[in-house]
Amino acid sequence: MAYEFIKVDRNGPITTFTLNRPDVMNAMHSPAHFEMDDAVNTFAADPEQWVGIVTGAGERAFSAGNDLKHQATGGKMGSPPSGFAGLTSRYDLTKPLIAAVNGVAMGGGFEIALACDIIIASDKAVFALPEPRVGLAALAGGLHRLPRAIGVKRAMSMILTARRVSAAEGKELGFVAEVTSAEDLMRVANEWAKGICELGPMSIRASKEAVYRGLDEPSLEAAIKGQNRYPAVAALFTSEDFVEGPLAFSQKRAPAWKGR
């Protein structure tokens, strides 16, 4: 499928999704949501793609969130079942996603980043959930993912003030993994992705699923006892990689992961 509002690039097992509306700071409207949904569906189904990176086009913004001008002028509304940018209501993606935040990540833009597993930020990045300033609320996951990521009190200090947070403060709060220069952002994000690709992809998917689904269990005991029934965990035990990892270790060689 040819895309108008996003770009998709593949480099080995790494797929990079670029939100490509720089003239409106990569704000998202309905067509862009559906394009991302299609692209992420393709990534999820492709056995050769193991890690995704999400970033924004241009130097100003990762994403300014919802395109309010499009909404205000009667533009077509709506998003796929997978949510804002095809990500915020997608709960079954076990392949890891890295957000490479190159500038402003406001409202839905911040929610896109929070829907990823790791956030790498340019030192020019700025994060906020400013929806209350225009009579809205961050209902595409921000009000739930941010408290889970950094704790309720820290999250409330952002949510109830709609204040802007720098990349450095984001790292201090705990939702940013690394801060780098704008020039080095994609190199650093790709280094993180390549590091993940050195590990067993089935193990990574099982680990991601166990973490997120385990957080929804009523207790630690329930999470530990229930993890073997999670699909990605069950798939790990029957995979070729489950044999290949210990075999490569015993033979003192690098494993040849298959992702199956």
Side-chain angles (χ1 to χ4, degrees):
M1 177 178 176
Y3 299 118
E4 183 179 357
F5 303 111
I6 67 171
K7 292 192 296 182
V8 180
D9 300 289
R10 294 177 179 85
N11 181 19
I14 301 169
T15 298
T16 299
F17 307 91
T18 304
L19 310 177
N20 192 28
R21 303 185 73 214
D23 53 322
V24 290
M25 299 181 70
N26 301 317
M28 300 295 290
H29 61 350
S30 184
H33 294 317
F34 280 95
E35 287 190 0
M36 273 294 288
D37 174 67
D38 182 83
V40 178
N41 287 344
T42 300
F43 164 74
D46 188 343
E48 302 301 321
Q49 296 304 297
W50 295 354
V51 181
I53 299 173
V54 182
T55 193
E59 299 179 356
R60 298 171 61 201
F62 175 74
S63 174
N66 187 32
D67 189 342
L68 295 177
K69 290 183 179 179
H70 177 83
Q71 178 178 340
T73 55
K76 181 181 177 182
M77 299 293 293
S79 60
S82 55
F84 200 88
L87 289 175
T88 60
S89 295
R90 186 183 292 270
Y91 307 113
D92 59 354
L93 181 65
T94 57
K95 297 180 181 181
L97 291 177
I98 298 169
V101 180
N102 53 306
V104 168
M106 297 287 189
F110 189 17
E111 290 175 302
I112 295 170
L114 288 169
C116 296
D117 305 296
I118 297 171
I119 298 177
I120 310 299
S122 155
D123 53 16
K124 296 179 181 179
V126 179
F127 303 88
L129 295 175
E131 283 87 347
R133 295 188 185 279
V134 291
L136 302 173
L139 297 175
L143 299 180
H144 305 288
R145 286 192 171 98
L146 189 60
R148 284 167 166 78
I150 64 174
V152 173
K153 297 301 183 185
R154 287 184 169 192
M156 284 302 206
S157 78
M158 292 183 63
I159 292 166
L160 299 184
T161 63
R163 68 186 182 90
R164 299 186 175 194
V165 166
S166 68
E169 185 179 357
K171 189 172 189 300
E172 180 183 343
L173 288 170
F175 64 80
V176 171
E178 183 174 349
V179 180
T180 185
S181 67
E183 296 74 18
D184 286 338
L185 176 65
M186 292 311 295
R187 177 185 63 78
V188 171
N190 273 280
E191 285 179 356
W192 277 77
K194 290 174 183 176
I196 294 171
C197 288
E198 292 176 1
L199 309 175
M202 301 297 289
S203 301
I204 291 297
R205 294 168 203 169
S207 298
K208 173 175 172 174
E209 186 176 54
V211 168
Y212 288 125
R213 292 188 63 164
L215 288 171
D216 292 332
E217 298 282 6
S219 67
L220 175 62
E221 180 181 2
I224 293 172
K225 287 183 175 180
Q227 62 190 356
N228 287 351
R229 72 174 184 270
Y230 303 156
V233 176
L236 168 64
F237 293 134
T238 59
S239 69
E240 293 181 38
D241 286 352
F242 191 69
V243 176
E244 169 63 11
L247 180 62
F249 179 81
S250 68
Q251 295 176 347
K252 299 182 179 179
R253 60 173 174 80
W257 302 122
K258 300 292 182 61
R260 59 177 188 268

